[in-house]
Amino acid sequence: MLYYKAQELSQIQDVFNPNPLQEEAEINRFYQDATEARTGDVYSGFVEKMDLLLEDSHNSLIHKLFIGHAGVGKTTELYRLQHIAEEKGFLTCLGRCDIDLDSGDIEYTDVLFYILDMLVNKACEDGLKISDTIVKKIENYWNSDTELIKTISMQGEMEISLGTEAEIGIRKVVKLLAGVKAILKNSAESKREIRTQIEPRSSELINQIREVIEEIRKQLRDKGRPEIPFVIMDGLDKIPLGQAKKIFQENGSRFQGLQIHLLVTFPISLSYTPEYKDIQIWFPNPEKLPMIKLRNWQQGTYQEGYTEGTETIKAIIAKRADLSLFKEDALEELIHYTGGYIRDLFRCISEAALRARLRKSRKIELEDAKKALAVLESDINGRYSDELIGKMEDIYQGNKHVSSSEEIMTLLQIGAVLEYNGTRWCDLHPLVERWLLESHKIVG
């Protein structure tokens, strides 16, 4: 958690670390609204729209995809939304699939299990009950194999220890599910065994989730709280595309019948494929969180005098550090050549601060910024092959419409091309553009 604004370079590493803002106090102190610089419309804020949707959806369910580049700020927005929803009384679960599960190997059954795990844990946390009948069903479901029971039991002992004040039924289920989750994250062999058990009985798992949801909804209704649980799943945007297609396209219907509000992050490159249309049957009206644009492309040209993006980035930096720590030209260099990509910006600020400290300087100067950017430039330009340069030159020359080609998907995925405005226009990462021009790979 962030506790202070940097007043000297030795504090830069803490305040510009890549972790999302999570706690409400740090969000209130360090969050900077960037809606207009992202979308061109101050009234299109993702969290603000979701807040109204939750308020207005008394009987209808929200099942929605949340799309954006990794590192653009999605997780911070999700934590903001979680706090707002909780303040309004929603039973809200936020799960980090990239942390709690194995993001390199996730199946739809893992996702279904994780939803059950989050709901049971949140019910326990909020003092809600799960009937003995449902507890027994869940136990029987996972205790159908002797060796599996042993493995789950061992993992559960290591992963969780609940206080004795928790209701015994819920406590037993929480402990059991903790063991399963540990296996799905850490043990490839046991994971295969679990999936072998679940796959033929996935409808039974779904029924258990539905029964847990129904019990939660009844108790929320009796307490005068909004009765539809809200489940947020972050990290699914990082999974391999093949697995994402299996989860969202081939098995999207399995989430349709869950009586919850469900918001999931989604791979941006998959949003430019033919399968995307089919996926929206199950997750309609997706939301995008675009980059903060530093140049505004309109009607085939860059808009003159556009400064909204640059000023927004400066405001983000100023929330975290005294701007006197940067020479003005160094700050402008860092902002310009990271293209509105917050993760790249923070990485370069941290690198530049270390170099400045090694020089015994109290400020980040232009040479520090250039050296930090050179490291990032080498990294990004090592991610693609020469076969993609033709497409990048095409983008540089003005064909900035985002197509569903495999080339565009690859370039978006590796961060060499960045999408802006959420309206299907893209541009080269400034460090990619500079390197291609300087090395005469493309013609300026």
Side-chain angles (χ1 to χ4, degrees), residues 419-436:
E419 183 191 17
Y420 296 99
N421 259 56
T423 53
R424 286 186 172 269
W425 82 270
C426 65
D427 218 342
L428 299 181
H429 192 297
L431 293 174
V432 172
E433 179 179 305
R434 182 173 73 178
W435 185 82
L436 291 173

Side-chain angles (χ1 to χ4, degrees), residues 377-378 380-382 384-386 389 392-393 396 428 430-444:
E377 180 179 294
S378 176
I380 296 176
N381 286 299
Y384 56 83
S385 63
D386 287 349
I389 291 176
M392 289 190 283
E393 182 169 22
Y396 175 74
L428 299 181
L431 293 174
V432 172
E433 179 179 305
R434 182 173 73 178
W435 185 82
L436 291 173
L437 288 169
E438 289 179 350
S439 59
H440 306 290
K441 300 288 186 180
I442 63 176
V443 179

Side-chain angles (χ1 to χ4, degrees), residues 175-238:
K175 185 174 180 179
L176 172 66
L177 297 180
V180 178
K181 185 166 64 177
I183 292 170
L184 292 176
K185 179 178 175 63
N186 300 313
S187 176
E189 183 176 347
S190 296
K191 182 192 300 183
R192 286 192 295 271
E193 188 173 346
I194 283 180
R195 287 174 177 167
T196 300
Q197 295 287 332
I198 296 177
E199 178 63 36
R201 304 167 59 202
S202 59
S203 59
E204 187 179 340
L205 175 60
I206 292 170
N207 285 335
Q208 287 175 23
I209 298 171
R210 287 173 176 166
E211 289 176 337
V212 168
I213 291 169
E214 184 55 39
E215 290 214 345
I216 288 174
R217 289 186 61 162
K218 183 180 184 304
Q219 292 172 74
L220 292 173
R221 186 165 57 244
D222 292 344
K223 291 175 180 289
R225 295 172 60 182
E227 70 173 80
I228 304 177
F230 184 24
V231 175
I232 303 170
M233 302 190 74
D234 190 21
L236 288 176
D237 54 317
K238 300 178 177 68

Side-chain angles (χ1 to χ4, degrees), residues 23-35:
E23 301 297 330
E24 193 166 11
E26 63 180 346
I27 290 173
N28 291 337
R29 182 171 183 180
F30 296 103
Y31 179 79
Q32 173 66 39
D33 181 43
T35 300

Side-chain angles (χ1 to χ4, degrees), residues 15-16 28 71 85 89 95 99 131 144 149 163 178 268 289 297 313 353 380 384 391 394 399 427 439:
V15 299
F16 288 100
N28 291 337
I99 294 174
S131 70
S144 57
I149 294 170
I268 187 170
L289 190 70
W297 181 261
I313 295 286
I380 296 176
Y384 56 83
K391 185 61 183 177
D394 191 35
N399 185 13
D427 218 342
S439 59

